[in-house]
């Protein structure tokens, strides 16, 4: 009986997913990967700017305003659900202006990731001994050069595992992109399920696809960690 059930499920997966709807499935998978691969670098860039700004001395009013804007940005994007951010920015702000929904999804996920990456960067800088900064300044380096050439390289090595977790979280969070009708992998398989009425097969395949993506990302991040640990031993 169990073998018959497995055989029936396998046949349905092959028919509904890999025969009848393969183009829809591949299109959704491509959009999901595109969102992740574009949004994560945006998040790292914004997060680095905000995280470093936390340690910049407040010498004038412009730096104070910059820090205030950064704090507001982090508070807003960490304090509200990603689905709400996506719906509000697309339907209330950018859709009336004619922006492409895939572009908006990449932008929103990048902004959301940047808020979390900023805290990761800030924690990484804090993990570096304060004496490193003082040593760089005593050698005649400017504050910015000391941060970029001495502090940040050490901080990056400390935060690689946490950045990997953020990448994995971002990948799973993209499943709400369908809220603005972006044809990601989740929305594609929801469409397949609605047309075939075989929800078990569709959502089982969806879970397997996300598991494979996350597993591959985990392996890549562990490989990067091993490479960095080897360089420390030289």
């Amino acid at each position: 009986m169990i073998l018959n059930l497995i055989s029936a499920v396998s046949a349905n997966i092959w028919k509904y997913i890999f025969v009848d709807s393969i183009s829809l499935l591949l299109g959704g998978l491509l959009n999901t990967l595109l969102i992740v691969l574009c949004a994560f670098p945006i998040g790292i860039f914004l997060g680095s700017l905000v995280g470093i700004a936390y340690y910049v001395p407040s010498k004038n009013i412009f730096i104070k305003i910059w820090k205030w804007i950064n704090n507001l940005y982090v508070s807003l994007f960490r304090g509200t659900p990603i689905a709400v951010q996506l719906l509000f920015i697309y339907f209330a702000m950018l859709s009336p202006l004619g922006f492409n929904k895939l572009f908006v999804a990449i932008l929103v996920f990048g902004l959301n990731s940047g808020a979390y990456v900023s805290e990761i960067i800030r924690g990484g800088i804090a993990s570096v001994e304060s004496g490193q900064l003082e040593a760089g300044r005593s050698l005649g380096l400017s504050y910015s050069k000391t941060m970029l050439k001495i502090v940040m390289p050490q901080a990056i090595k400390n935060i690689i595992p946490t950045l990997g977790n953020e990448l994995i979280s971002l990948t799973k969070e993209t499943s709400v992109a369908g809220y603005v009708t972006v044809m990601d992998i989740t929305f594609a398989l929801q469409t397949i399920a609605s047309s075939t009425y075989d929800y078990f097969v569709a959502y089982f395949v969806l879970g397997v696809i996300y598991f494979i993506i996350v597993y591959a990302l985990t392996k890549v991040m562990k490989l990067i960690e091993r490479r960095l640990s080897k360089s420390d031993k030289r």
Side-chain angles (χ1 to χ4, degrees):
M1 181 177 179
I2 295 177
L3 292 177
N4 290 336
L5 177 62
I6 294 175
S7 177
V9 170
S10 300
N12 287 342
I13 290 175
W14 179 257
K15 181 180 185 299
Y16 295 145
I17 307 298
F18 296 108
V19 176
D20 297 342
S21 306
I22 185 63
S23 60
L24 186 64
L25 182 71
L26 291 177
L29 179 60
L30 179 62
N31 283 338
T32 293
L33 295 176
L34 182 63
I35 293 172
V36 173
L37 294 177
C38 292
F40 192 58
I42 293 174
I44 290 178
F45 175 73
L46 292 175
S48 298
L49 289 179
V50 176
I52 293 173
Y54 182 85
Y55 292 95
V56 175
S58 302
K59 293 182 179 180
N60 55 58
I61 187 64
F62 297 105
I63 294 179
K64 291 180 180 179
I65 293 174
W66 179 29
K67 287 188 174 185
W68 181 84
I69 294 173
N70 288 342
N71 290 333
L72 178 63
Y73 157 67
V74 173
S75 297
L76 284 175
F77 279 90
R78 293 187 70 198
T80 55
I82 181 65
V84 174
Q85 298 163 17
L86 186 63
L87 291 169
F88 179 79
I89 292 177
Y90 179 69
F91 288 110
M93 296 176 63
L94 299 183
S95 178
L97 299 177
F99 280 85
N100 179 273
K101 54 193 174 185
L102 181 60
F103 169 79
V104 175
I106 292 172
L107 176 64
V108 173
F109 284 110
L111 288 170
N112 180 271
S113 180
Y116 288 92
V117 171
S118 68
E119 293 299 297
I120 296 172
I121 296 291
R122 188 170 68 86
I125 294 174
S127 68
V128 179
E129 294 181 5
S130 59
Q132 299 285 331
L133 180 61
E134 295 171 0
R137 297 306 302 275
S138 66
L139 291 173
L141 297 175
S142 65
Y143 182 85
S144 59
K145 286 186 177 181
T146 303
M147 288 293 292
L148 291 175
K149 294 185 176 182
I150 298 178
V151 177
M152 286 304 296
Q154 298 179 68
I156 289 173
K157 289 184 179 181
N158 295 337
I159 65 175
I160 287 296
T162 315
L163 280 178
N165 290 335
E166 169 57 22
L167 176 59
I168 290 170
S169 297
L170 174 64
T171 302
K172 292 185 287 187
E173 286 171 354
T174 59
S175 61
V176 303
Y179 282 24
V180 293
T181 66
V182 172
M183 186 57 70
D184 70 320
I185 189 62
T186 301
F187 194 72
L189 282 160
Q190 285 177 334
T191 303
I192 294 171
S194 299
S195 62
T196 63
Y197 297 102
D198 198 333
Y199 294 96
F200 177 84
V201 167
Y203 294 132
F204 175 78
V205 171
L206 178 62
V208 170
I209 290 173
Y210 270 113
F211 176 81
I212 292 172
I213 294 173
V214 170
Y215 184 79
L217 290 175
T218 302
K219 288 295 184 181
V220 170
M221 296 309 298
K222 286 185 177 179
L223 178 62
I224 294 173
E225 289 179 43
R226 285 199 295 269
R227 290 288 179 88
L228 290 175
S229 63
K230 285 181 180 179
S231 65
D232 287 340
K233 295 175 181 178
R234 292 177 182 175

